[in-house]
């Protein structure tokens, strides 16, 4: 089991679209679209949110993500109707709807706890507000050669690094960014990719690396060498897209 997500929006199509996007990166996470009114109009529905919570909370909890102000009010009302035990397992994220849903879904896919999934959602807005990679890192990424192998000492206290040319047709878009974040999530290592946190799907997406550009990674910690080896294999395989 994993933490589920309920997407609460004034628009049924918007809620469904966010679920569709998140599902592309987190196929095993339960997602429920609670968008629009009961008669198909623009607005929110208490009954849809309650149904979404029932569908997604299978014991590990659920995180609600909302769009506009009245969606928050309706979601809070739905949470008030839960029994005390379930109230402990259902949380509402103070996060941007799309970015928060993507970050939360990737976190849930890796088996993170309710608190960790909530934190991932709420950190997503801050990640995007901070902008993309540092200028020097992005400019360095523009078309370097494929180093292809990790370098550096394998000792846990030393850094290990590697650099590879992106060979998949669309570069580091949303799905590969999610794949990288999931691949590295449970490793005991600090990992940066072109200057950003390699375990953050939102920060990886800000890089906007295109085909032919270079993905460079540096890792430190007990699993540093493994992190670089796994990442290098993933990049050379085109994230399964070639």
């Amino acid at each position: 089991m994993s933490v589920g997500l309920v997407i609460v929006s004034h628009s049924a199509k918007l809620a469904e679209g966010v679920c569709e996007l998140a599902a592309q990166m987190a196929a095993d996470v339960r997602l429920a679209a609670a968008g629009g009114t009961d008669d198909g109009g623009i607005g929110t529905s208490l009954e849809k949110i309650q149904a979404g919570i029932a569908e997604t909370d299978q014991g590990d909890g659920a995180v609600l993500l909302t769009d506009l102000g009245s969606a928050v009010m309706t979601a809070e009302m739905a949470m008030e109707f839960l029994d005390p035990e379930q109230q402990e397992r259902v949380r509402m994220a103070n996060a941007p709807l799309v970015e928060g849903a993507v970050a939360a879904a990737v976190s849930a896919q890796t088996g993170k706890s309710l608190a960790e999934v909530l934190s991932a959602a709420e950190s997503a807005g801050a990640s995007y507000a901070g902008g993309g990679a540092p200028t020097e890192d992005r400019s360095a990424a523009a078309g370097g050669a494929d180093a292809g192998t990790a370098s550096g000492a394998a000792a846990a206290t030393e850094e290990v690094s590697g650099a590879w040319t992106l060979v998949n047709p669309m570069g580091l878009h949303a799905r590969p960014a999610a794949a990288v974040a999931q691949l590295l999530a449970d490793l005991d290592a600090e990992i940066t990719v072109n200057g950003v946190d390699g375990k953050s799907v939102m920060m990886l997406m800000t890089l906007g690396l295109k085909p032919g550009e270079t993905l460079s990674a540096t890792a430190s910690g007990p699993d540093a060498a493994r992190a670089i080896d796994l990442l290098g294999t993933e990049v050379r395989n085109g994230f399964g897209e070639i």
Side-chain angles (χ1 to χ4, degrees):
M1 292 190 293
S2 63
V3 175
L5 305 179
V6 183
I7 308 302
V8 183
S9 170
H10 283 66
S11 165
K13 290 183 178 179
L14 177 57
E16 292 165 2
V18 172
C19 285
E20 181 181 13
L21 176 62
Q24 291 296 310
M25 307 178 204
D28 300 324
V29 175
R30 291 179 301 280
L31 301 161
T37 61
D38 294 330
D39 60 3
I42 296 295
T44 54
S45 162
L46 176 64
E47 289 74 18
K48 285 188 176 182
I49 299 172
Q50 289 175 319
I53 294 172
E55 178 183 346
T56 57
D57 176 22
Q58 300 297 310
D60 287 344
V63 172
L64 280 60
L65 294 108
T66 62
D67 56 7
L68 304 175
S70 61
V72 175
M73 295 173 59
T74 311
E76 288 176 339
M77 187 181 304
M79 293 169 65
E80 289 176 1
F81 280 108
L82 299 174
D83 63 59
E85 180 183 357
Q86 192 173 25
Q87 284 180 349
E88 295 296 320
R89 301 197 307 271
V90 178
R91 294 286 183 267
M92 182 163 53
N94 180 15
L97 183 64
V98 178
E99 293 90 341
V102 169
V106 171
S107 180
Q109 177 72 22
T110 61
K112 299 298 185 183
S113 68
L114 176 62
E116 290 170 318
V117 172
L118 180 65
S119 177
E122 294 184 339
S123 298
S127 296
Y128 258 59
T135 302
E136 61 270 21
D137 289 314
R138 280 293 288 116
S139 61
D146 184 356
T149 58
S151 63
T157 56
E158 297 183 8
E159 288 189 342
V160 185
S161 62
W164 312 269
T165 298
L166 294 177
V167 296
N168 60 311
M170 296 181 64
L172 193 65
H173 62 96
R175 196 201 65 78
V180 169
Q182 292 174 27
L183 182 74
L184 303 177
D186 293 327
L187 296 181
D188 186 7
E190 297 293 327
I191 308 157
T192 59
V193 174
N194 290 65
V196 306
D197 182 1
K199 297 183 180 182
S200 168
V201 61
M202 303 312 300
M203 293 306 297
L204 290 171
M205 288 170 62
T206 66
L207 292 172
L209 294 177
K210 299 176 177 61
E213 294 188 339
T214 300
L215 184 151
S216 302
T218 301
S220 60
D223 291 336
R226 183 164 179 254
I228 295 300
D229 287 343
L230 289 173
L231 182 56
T233 299
E234 190 75 8
V235 176
R236 289 192 295 269
N237 289 339
F239 306 104
E241 297 181 344
I242 56 174

